[in-house]
Amino acid sequence: MCRRMSSARWSIGDAVMAVFGSPVARGDDAERAVRAALAIPRIIEQLNASSPHPDLEIHMAVNTGEAVVTIDPGSPDGDLLVAGDVVNTASRLQGAAPPGRVLIGEETFRATRRVIRSEPVPAVAAKGKREPIPAWVAIEALVPLAVRPAQMPFVGRDGESGLVRDIWSRAVAERRPHLVTILGEAGIGKTRLAEEFSFDVKETGGQAFHVRELPYEQSSGYETFVQLVHEVAGIFESDPNPVAMAKLEASLDHLGLADPALVQLLSVFARTPEAVADDRRSLFEAARRYVEALASTTGTLIVFEDVHWAHPSTLDLITSLAGRARDAPIVFLALARPELLDLRPAWG
Ligand SMILES: Nc1ncnc2c1ncn2[C@@H]1O[C@H](COP(=O)(O)OP(=O)(O)OP(=O)(O)O)[C@@H](O)[C@H]1O
Ligand SMILES: [Mg+2]
């Protein structure tokens, strides 16, 4: 839930509630909440497999709507108090959810239907409600986290697009990596420019990957590389570890990287339990071989979204790859708000 930017979590008896979109709404709060919920069964499965087999069962629901949120200014991590019908309804849905499944309410369904596949289930009759509550069961994400569905036509960015296209042509012609950074205030159109450009890249036979930093990331610091390796290998967050590991091995084999030491190192980026990340130099080296292999047969674009939130180790890794990858037609396109320069004045 932390990784998907929930701002608060607390427990009431054996129930846990998490709030997304407060104190700061990000427009995709419902989606992140459902993705977080879909990732939980795998964790429960791991817990149950561990000794002494706790035999846990989980019932989940996500509901969206208006609530009265009180932030406790005295608490160090800004404790939230949330009240409103949306909370009661979430609790009713949760009570009706089958084991291991995620029920979602109507507004959550509408907000996520283009990115998450859900199936309707019979409305939930609930105490204190005149009408049964319409409900869906969330099944799976339809697109990776960073991909947004199509929107309005793209206008008036010929200069910027032309610049990126020139750099791309050079990277492909010279088989040399390039790091391009687009800096700009929130909402200025960085993501959109990158999406349009990815589309062009794919149209012309190249491949494009989108990965995205998360503001409240509290993990190892390589979130975007985890996303990249997952996307390339077709690993889902809901995959049990042995499945994730098998997919990683198959993907590395396909890339011609079936060296056990390398598999071991790259499993850091697939977040499998064998992961070890104590040797940063070897890890960066493994990442370099990985992107070189990825780009060996075709021009490759990797878009790093929201780099101003990146962990310093990710910034180091991106710079290292851009400086060291050899014989690789690859463009790293970093998108960031200007505060990146507070973090790294010499970036780019
Ligand atoms: N050139 C453009 N033509 C049409 N629509 C655009 C254009 N640029 C941006 N938009 C639209 O404006 C909105 C904000 O743009 P976008 O999400 O790309 O901003 P951003 O710079 O990535 O912001 P953030 O820093 O918050 O990530 C989006 O809905 C996007 O589709
Ligand atoms: Mg953006």
Side-chain angles (χ1 to χ4, degrees):
M1 288 189 281
C2 288
R3 286 189 50 227
R4 293 287 169 249
M5 296 189 265
S6 144
S7 55
R9 299 156 291 282
W10 63 91
S11 327
I12 310 141
D14 66 352
V16 176
M17 172 157 129
V19 177
F20 291 73
S22 178
V24 182
R26 295 185 189 277
D28 61 353
D29 306 290
E31 176 192 347
R32 281 183 288 103
V34 177
R35 283 181 186 271
L38 286 173
I40 290 174
R42 177 182 168 190
I43 299 165
I44 298 293
E45 200 178 299
Q46 283 167 10
L47 285 174
N48 282 341
S50 70
S51 170
H53 304 300
D55 202 16
L56 299 170
E57 195 177 271
I58 187 159
H59 304 256
M60 294 170 284
V62 178
N63 196 33
T64 305
E66 285 180 357
V68 178
V69 180
T70 318
I71 300 175
D72 176 0
S75 102
D77 40 36
D79 267 352
L80 298 181
L81 273 173
V82 185
D85 184 57
V86 63
V87 180
N88 303 333
T89 305
S91 163
R92 303 281 180 262
L93 288 172
Q94 186 269 330
R101 307 311 295 268
V102 183
L103 281 195
I104 63 175
E106 189 162 5
E107 202 165 328
T108 310
F109 169 68
R110 287 193 199 295
T112 59
R113 63 204 289 179
R114 291 199 292 168
V115 285
I116 290 175
R117 184 166 72 82
S118 302
E119 283 169 5
V121 294
V124 173
K127 200 170 50 156
K129 294 250 173 213
R130 217 172 308 143
E131 303 286 339
I133 309 163
W136 286 256
V137 57
I139 310 286
E140 62 184 358
L142 294 168
V143 293
L145 179 65
V147 176
R148 313 321 308 150
Q151 323 116 326
M152 305 293 285
F154 185 57
V155 293
R157 285 282 183 209
D158 294 347
E160 294 87 341
S161 302
L163 214 66
V164 182
R165 216 171 301 123
D166 283 351
I167 295 173
W168 170 257
S169 309
R170 226 179 315 146
V172 172
E174 297 168 3
R175 296 186 62 84
R176 247 177 7 102
H178 282 74
L179 170 60
V180 184
T181 305
I182 299 180
L183 276 181
E185 299 293 345
I188 198 123
K190 303 180 291 294
T191 298
R192 187 62 195 275
L193 182 79
E195 283 171 355
E196 297 293 326
F197 185 62
S198 309
F199 185 80
D200 292 349
V201 162
K202 289 185 198 156
E203 284 283 272
T204 55
Q207 56 180 349
F209 301 97
H210 272 242
V211 293
R212 179 166 153 208
E213 287 297 339
L214 305 172
Y216 302 156
E217 181 55 39
Q218 297 182 345
S219 66
S220 67
Y222 298 112
E223 168 69 20
T224 43
F225 273 81
V226 172
Q227 288 176 27
L228 178 66
V229 170
H230 277 200
E231 194 178 329
V232 173
I235 297 171
F236 299 109
E237 282 182 52
S238 53
D239 283 340
N241 276 319
V243 175
M245 197 62 195
K247 285 183 176 177
L248 174 69
E249 280 171 9
S251 160
L252 293 179
D253 201 34
H254 182 72
L255 290 169
L257 295 174
D259 156 5
L262 202 62
V263 173
Q264 171 82 6
L265 276 166
L266 287 168
S267 66
V268 172
F269 296 124
R271 282 228 184 92
T272 64
E274 293 78 14
V276 279
D278 46 4
D279 180 355
R280 197 168 118 131
R281 224 177 122 155
S282 312
L283 191 63
F284 280 26
E285 204 52 25
R288 178 183 63 77
R289 287 182 60 193
Y290 183 75
V291 297
E292 284 174 355
L294 195 60
S296 66
T297 53
T298 174
T300 301
L301 173 72
I302 304 178
V303 180
F304 291 92
E305 289 264 8
D306 298 325
V307 168
H308 48 278
W309 282 320
H311 192 280
S313 53
T314 299
L315 297 178
D316 293 343
L317 179 54
I318 297 173
T319 350
S320 153
L321 290 174
R324 295 200 174 164
R326 292 286 168 263
D327 193 28
I330 186 161
V331 169
F332 301 97
L333 181 55
L335 312 182
R337 298 190 189 153
E339 56 257 39
L340 173 66
L341 297 181
D342 301 338
L343 203 71
R344 276 291 156 99
W347 178 264

